[in-house]
Amino acid sequence: MTSQKSMLRGMALLNDGDVNHGTGFTLEERKALGLEGLIPPHVETLDRQMERSLHHIELKPDDLERYIYLNSLVDRNETLFYKVLRSDPARFVPIIYAPTLARACKLFSHIYRRPRGMYITLDMKGRIADVLRNWPESDVRTICVTTGGRILGLGDIGVNGMGIPIGKLQLYTVCGSVPPRSLLPIQLDIGTTNAALRADPLYLGARREPPPIEELDEFVEEFVQAVQDVFPGCCLHFEDWKGTDALRYLAKYRDRVLCYNDDIQGTAAVTLAGLVTALRVKKEKLSEQRYLFLGAGSSGLGTADMLVSAMKLEGLTEEQACERITLMDVDGLLETSRTDLLPEQQRFAKEVAPTTDLLTTIKHTRPTVLIGVSTCGGAFNQAVIKEMATLNERPIIFSLSLPETNVECTAEQAYTWSEGRALFAGGIQFPNVELDGKVFYPGQANNFYIFPGLGLAVYATHPEIITDELIIEAAKSLTDQVDEVALERGRLFPPQTDIIDVSMTSAVRLAEFIFDKGMARVDRPNDIRAWIEKLAYDPHY
């Protein structure tokens, strides 16, 4: 605990979730810290406390109530909270993150209990550094920051989006063993375009429209520089910004400061990992595929850019790599006659006739890989899947949109309509599918396979920037952890039950990569794994 918190006694200590042990305080600690008489007399182990918490969780009627309970638990006893979650990450990640977090974010202002992060508003412009110094921890290594502009398929929900950086950083600790005191969730409250929220009497954010781009750019620039001043060497994790903002700020800051955009780079890395694993089944290379994306926002473009980088490593030129990638958005195919394309989209525009029809585009481009990041539920209909299966013996179909109502197709649809030949991954975890006596195990292309391990490696090595090569290495590390038995069962990702070990293995490999490339700002240890395991967080009293 920090020196200030080490001075807490009595009820002040019991009310501070960072340092409270509840019934776990020993008899000697109770005497020394003024706790006698304030808690029941029996001293419990952390495991016994976890048993009680798991019982409480079982009594809750649904996952939203479990989410609320768990967030009250972290307020009371942070160590117990992480002990519970790390006991079964596959069970609890869907509660503290997607899909339950989508419901929680919609209701964030209504179920609000405690801040558990910082809220930086436009009227703090000119003094953001001073505001950041109000945070009680000085050694902040990662900040997850959002504007709430594009949250889990919910659109602009303003300050209600704060649930995302809170949940995301909890996964850094649950899955990646990053010490929680080094993590800071931040909401940049720039207003919201959501008129219904602005009219909600319980809404906790600024009741205004977002500012013009020029004003927003100045605000973000001050924030980024303030972080460098107050928390030197801190990694900025941009999360769920409006698509155009996400692209613009990543391009602006990626070579200037230590930063990362999970919607762009994390999605790209986990998708790339799934593709590489699928191609192990087909015994083919990335550079031999033809890719069609439904969705050309920040996630689609980020993944397309990462594929270009990966194919260049396999020997293609940038032009050759771009030729293999076709994208569609809500207005149709990205082609050269369109005047509404972003600069990031123009490099993928094709000199072909305009069309808004996905099936027509499939017949024309003959893709081997179909990737959905459109949030257009049901877009991969039976005709689409059947055409992909006609063109390919083993079509690769990734339906990555969130939440469940937005998925382009389900795992069952992909397997059934392709007669069991699809290599499939979803953005959510679909149940296993039985077809003609065979069981298929659909994978989930969840970013939590990437950012916790990456976060632990960055926490340990202090690199100056995060490069595309490092992101590609994260993808390779993940796919190398899928064994041949898993491949035979159709798994494209490791089991979620193994996520803590997967993240640790990835962190060690990424740390080695960072040292090998001369990117680290600490001395290289003799035994990197032992060094990282010593730095990693483990909940105990």
Side-chain angles (χ1 to χ4, degrees):
M1 65 181 71
T2 62
S3 58
Q4 183 179 3
K5 292 186 183 236
S6 66
M7 298 170 63
L8 293 176
R9 295 174 53 81
M11 288 303 299
L13 177 58
L14 294 177
N15 288 330
D16 192 312
D18 289 351
V19 291
N20 177 33
H21 299 171
T23 55
F25 283 112
T26 66
L27 295 177
E28 292 76 14
E29 287 171 332
R30 297 178 190 203
K31 291 178 182 179
L33 298 171
L35 297 173
E36 289 185 297
L38 299 182
I39 46 181
H42 182 64
V43 177
E44 294 188 304
T45 65
L46 184 55
D47 284 338
R48 182 66 69 198
Q49 290 178 311
M50 181 175 70
E51 181 182 339
R52 179 180 294 105
S53 293
L54 290 173
H55 177 65
H56 288 167
I57 291 168
E58 287 299 325
L59 295 176
K60 300 301 178 184
D62 57 39
D63 279 350
L64 181 61
E65 288 299 321
R66 295 182 185 101
Y67 171 88
I68 294 171
Y69 170 80
L70 286 168
N71 277 282
S72 68
L73 178 60
V74 73
D75 290 338
R76 297 194 309 272
N77 187 330
E78 179 184 81
T79 304
L80 177 56
F81 170 80
Y82 284 114
K83 183 71 172 180
V84 169
L85 267 59
R86 285 168 63 89
S87 71
D88 192 351
R91 177 187 179 189
F92 290 113
V93 166
I95 296 175
I96 64 166
Y97 203 65
T100 307
L101 191 53
R103 293 178 61 199
C105 283
K106 289 177 72 172
L107 299 170
F108 184 84
S109 291
H110 291 245
I111 62 176
Y112 174 84
R113 299 291 191 277
R114 291 181 58 184
R116 297 186 12 254
M118 297 196 77
Y119 299 78
I120 308 298
T121 63
L122 288 168
D123 62 7
M124 296 172 185
K125 192 171 182 296
R127 52 192 182 90
I128 293 177
D130 291 336
V131 174
L132 289 176
R133 292 188 180 95
N134 290 335
W135 188 247
E137 302 288 343
S138 59
D139 187 19
V140 173
R141 304 288 188 85
T142 300
I143 287 173
C144 185
V145 57
T146 189
T147 58
R150 196 210 69 173
I151 299 290
L152 293 175
L154 301 176
D156 184 353
I157 60 172
V159 81
N160 282 3
M162 181 55 155
I164 294 294
I166 291 171
K168 205 81 171 187
L169 291 180
Q170 287 172 346
L171 293 191
Y172 268 74
T173 301
V174 174
C175 304
S177 307
V178 180
R181 304 292 170 78
S182 70
L183 307 172
L184 171 56
I186 291 183
Q187 170 79 36
L188 293 187
D189 187 1
I190 62 172
T192 177
T193 58
N194 192 321
L197 280 181
R198 296 199 304 268
D200 182 350
L202 293 182
Y203 178 61
L204 290 166
R207 299 170 189 271
R208 55 159 291 171
E209 291 270 354
I213 287 178
E214 295 78 9
E215 183 180 346
L216 178 61
D217 285 352
E218 292 177 0
F219 178 64
V220 173
E221 175 67 20
E222 182 185 340
F223 168 73
V224 170
Q225 293 308 316
V227 169
Q228 311 311 305
D229 293 341
V230 179
F231 306 118
C234 177
C235 179
L236 274 174
H237 172 147
F238 295 105
E239 183 71 27
D240 284 341
W241 292 53
K242 186 176 71 174
T244 51
D245 290 342
L247 292 165
R248 188 169 75 256
Y249 292 128
L250 179 61
K252 182 176 182 179
Y253 293 112
R254 64 189 304 166
D255 295 325
R256 289 176 48 190
V257 302
L258 183 62
C259 69
Y260 165 81
N261 186 302
D262 190 52
D263 305 300
I264 298 173
Q265 296 166 292
T267 300
V270 76
T271 304
L272 178 62
L275 291 173
V276 171
T277 307
L279 292 173
R280 285 170 57 192
V281 177
K282 298 180 69 173
K283 295 180 172 53
E284 296 174 2
K285 298 165 62 176
L286 289 167
S287 54
E288 295 170 343
Q289 309 308 306
R290 293 180 300 277
Y291 304 88
L292 174 58
F293 286 78
L294 185 64
S298 58
S299 295
L301 288 171
T303 304
D305 286 339
M306 193 65 64
L307 279 169
V308 170
S309 296
M311 285 190 281
K312 286 169 67 177
L313 292 175
E314 290 186 357
L316 296 190
T317 66
E318 180 157 333
E319 182 180 4
Q320 289 170 332
C322 288
E323 286 176 357
R324 291 188 166 273
I325 298 173
T326 302
L327 295 99
M328 299 183 71
D329 65 8
V330 67
D331 296 312
L333 182 65
L334 268 58
E335 42 81 19
T336 53
S337 73
R338 287 180 55 173
T339 59
D340 61 337
L341 299 184
L342 299 170
E344 295 86 357
Q345 295 173 323
Q346 289 173 358
R347 67 194 292 232
F348 297 107
K350 301 294 187 284
E351 293 186 8
V352 295
T355 182
T356 59
D357 185 67
L358 176 59
L359 186 57
T360 297
T361 303
I362 290 173
K363 290 179 178 179
H364 178 74
T365 60
R366 302 176 65 84
T368 57
V369 178
L370 180 62
I371 299 174
V373 282
S374 66
T375 69
C376 184
F380 295 173
N381 56 30
Q382 186 172 0
V384 165
I385 301 299
K386 280 185 171 294
E387 184 64 23
M388 286 293 297
T390 298
L391 294 171
N392 304 281
E393 178 63 28
R394 300 300 305 271
I396 299 175
I397 298 170
F398 284 9
S399 171
L400 304 183
S401 290
L402 299 170
E404 187 171 0
T405 54
N406 292 342
V407 299
E408 289 81 8
C409 71
T410 66
E412 183 176 11
Q413 289 168 338
Y415 292 129
T416 301
W417 294 336
S418 69
E419 300 176 337
R421 291 186 283 119
L423 295 163
F424 176 85
I428 67 171
Q429 182 58 61
F430 290 102
N432 296 341
V433 176
E434 185 172 352
L435 182 66
D436 297 330
K438 182 177 181 181
V439 178
F440 296 87
Y441 300 85
Q444 183 185 12
N446 192 317
N447 294 15
F448 83 162
Y449 281 116
I450 297 294
F451 68 80
L454 176 63
L456 182 58
V458 168
Y459 170 83
T461 61
H462 299 268
E464 292 189 3
I465 61 171
I466 293 174
T467 64
D468 276 352
E469 275 192 300
L470 181 60
I471 302 297
I472 292 172
E473 189 68 16
K476 290 178 178 178
S477 175
L478 178 58
T479 194
D480 286 348
Q481 295 183 67
V482 180
D483 60 31
E484 294 303 317
V485 173
L487 276 181
E488 289 177 5
R489 295 178 176 178
R491 294 189 188 275
L492 302 183
F493 299 94
Q496 294 188 5
T497 51
D498 297 341
I499 188 61
I500 294 175
D501 290 338
V502 168
S503 297
M504 176 60 70
T505 297
S506 291
V508 172
R509 177 162 166 175
L510 294 177
E512 290 175 346
F513 183 88
I514 290 168
F515 282 119
D516 288 346
K517 295 294 183 180
M519 297 163 56
R521 289 184 284 183
V522 297
D523 293 333
R524 183 171 190 145
N526 292 327
D527 186 332
I528 291 178
R529 188 174 189 98
W531 173 66
I532 289 186
E533 287 177 344
K534 187 175 181 180
L535 292 174
Y537 173 76
D538 177 53
H540 64 275
Y541 294 145

